[in-house]
Amino acid sequence: MRVTASVSPWLPWLKPFLPSMVLLGGNASELYHSSLLGNPIPPLLVKEKIFALEKVGKKSAGVHEHLIKSGFQRKNDKLEPSGLVVPVYYREDLGSARFVFPQTRFGQSASSSGLAASPEKGLEILLENPHSVEVKYLDQSYDVLIPQIGRFVLANGLKVRAPKKPSPADLYQAAMHFVYILDLLVENEEFEEEALNDLLEIRPPALVRELRDNLKENGPGSILWESAQRLYLDLYPDVKAVKLTSWHWKFQKKLSKAILDAKAAE
C-alpha cells in the first residue's frame, strides 16, 4: 500500500541513502498506522525526525556532503524535555532531523567524522530485519525502512523506567516510550499479534523477560503509568482509562506465554 507521511518532504533529499537508514520514533509509528490501517495519528507523536544507521564515520561522509550541498546546515540542538544537546541537520523549509547509531561503549561521544550523529544504547535491536513501507510523495515512490513492530515495542519498553527521584523531564521522557507502545497495541489487535510473533524471534530471550518485568514494575499504580496514561488519554480522549489497565494485564499474560513458547522452541 502506498502512503504519504509527515516525513515525506525529506525523502527526495535522502533517496540515495534510504536503503541504509531506518526511520524511528513517532514517524515510524505513523507509517505503521498509515500503511497497515490507513489511520492518521496525533501530530505530537511525529514531531521529531530520527534516522538510524548501523555505522557512521567515513562511510557515511557521503550523506553529510550530500545534505550540505543540498542547503542543509549542521548544528547542535537541545532535545526537550531532556536538555540533551545533539547534532542535527537543518533547513528552513524542512526543519531538522537527527541521525543516530548504535552505542558501542559507555560515554561514547557523537560522531564528528562523516555524518554528524548521536550514539544510542540498544539501537541494534531496531536495526535488525527492518520492514519496508512504500511512501508516495509528489508522484514519486520511496521505500522507507521501519523497525519490526515487536522490536519497536521492545526497544521502547526497555526505556520505560525512570530514576528513583525523577525530574519532570525524566518522567515525561520515560512515559512517552510507554505511550508509543500503548498507541500501537491498545486499539490494534493485529499489531499486538505481530509484535508478539516478532518477540518470539528476539535473541537473547532474556530481553523479552526484561520487557515484561519492566512494564509490570512501571504499570498501573506507578507514577510512570499515571504519567503515560494521562498523556495517552490527552491524545485519545474517547478511550477510557479502565481499558488501558485491562489491556496492560492481558498483555502481561501474553508476554509470559510468548516467553514460555520461545523457551519450548529452544
Side-chain angles (χ1 to χ4, degrees):
M1 178 180 179
R2 292 183 178 182
V3 301
T4 56
S6 59
V7 73
S8 296
W10 278 82
L11 301 182
W13 306 102
L14 294 174
K15 185 176 182 179
F17 311 102
L18 288 175
S20 63
M21 297 180 177
V22 178
L23 184 64
L24 304 181
N27 288 111
S29 289
E30 182 181 27
L31 292 187
Y32 293 132
H33 278 269
S34 57
S35 64
L36 299 179
L37 299 176
N39 297 332
I41 64 173
L44 174 64
L45 293 178
V46 298
K47 63 180 181 178
E48 187 182 16
K49 293 170 179 62
I50 310 171
F51 297 91
L53 297 88
E54 288 188 4
K55 294 182 179 180
V56 295
K58 293 182 180 179
K59 290 186 178 180
S60 62
V63 185
H64 169 82
E65 292 169 2
H66 173 76
L67 289 173
I68 297 300
K69 289 179 181 178
S70 300
F72 291 86
Q73 297 177 329
R74 172 184 165 178
K75 65 175 190 176
N76 289 329
D77 200 7
K78 183 181 291 187
L79 297 181
E80 297 297 343
S82 67
L84 181 68
V85 176
V86 296
V88 300
Y89 287 83
Y90 172 82
R91 209 173 79 170
E92 187 173 358
D93 58 332
L94 293 174
S96 61
R98 64 186 179 102
F99 297 86
V100 295
F101 62 96
Q103 178 180 312
T104 57
R105 62 184 184 277
F106 180 76
Q108 187 172 4
S109 60
S111 168
S112 58
S113 173
L115 183 70
S118 305
E120 188 166 309
K121 184 179 179 180
L123 191 63
E124 59 276 2
I125 294 172
L126 294 169
L127 290 169
E128 292 178 351
N129 303 315
H131 172 65
S132 178
V133 175
E134 187 179 25
V135 179
K136 189 173 182 180
Y137 180 65
L138 298 179
D139 297 323
Q140 295 290 320
S141 293
Y142 302 88
D143 290 324
V144 180
L145 296 176
I146 56 177
Q148 292 184 26
I149 288 181
R151 295 176 186 276
F152 188 80
V153 168
L154 176 66
N156 280 286
L158 294 179
K159 294 179 180 179
V160 176
R161 54 165 62 100
K164 290 184 178 180
K165 296 182 179 180
S167 68
D170 292 330
L171 204 55
Y172 176 86
Q173 201 165 42
M176 280 304 298
H177 288 297
F178 219 145
V179 170
Y180 281 130
I181 298 173
L182 297 174
D183 170 69
L184 281 181
L185 305 187
V186 170
E187 298 281 0
N188 307 302
E189 291 184 6
E190 55 266 65
F191 283 172
E192 184 178 83
E193 182 178 354
E194 183 174 341
L196 290 166
N197 288 335
D198 289 345
L199 290 171
L200 287 172
E201 306 299 322
I202 295 292
R203 296 293 179 272
L207 288 173
V208 183
R209 295 195 296 271
E210 184 180 350
L211 168 68
R212 178 198 60 189
D213 296 344
N214 205 38
L215 294 185
K216 183 178 181 180
E217 180 179 349
N218 295 288
S222 72
I223 186 173
L224 187 50
W225 173 264
E226 295 303 319
S227 297
Q229 178 178 261
R230 184 167 56 253
L231 288 168
Y232 182 88
L233 295 179
D234 285 345
L235 295 173
Y236 300 104
D238 292 337
V239 178
K240 302 297 184 183
V242 66
K243 183 169 187 176
L244 299 183
T245 302
S246 175
W247 170 84
H248 179 274
W249 295 120
K250 289 178 181 177
F251 189 61
Q252 278 288 312
K253 291 180 180 179
K254 292 175 182 178
L255 276 177
S256 294
K257 183 179 184 301
I259 291 168
L260 290 174
D261 290 345
K263 186 174 182 179
E266 290 180 353

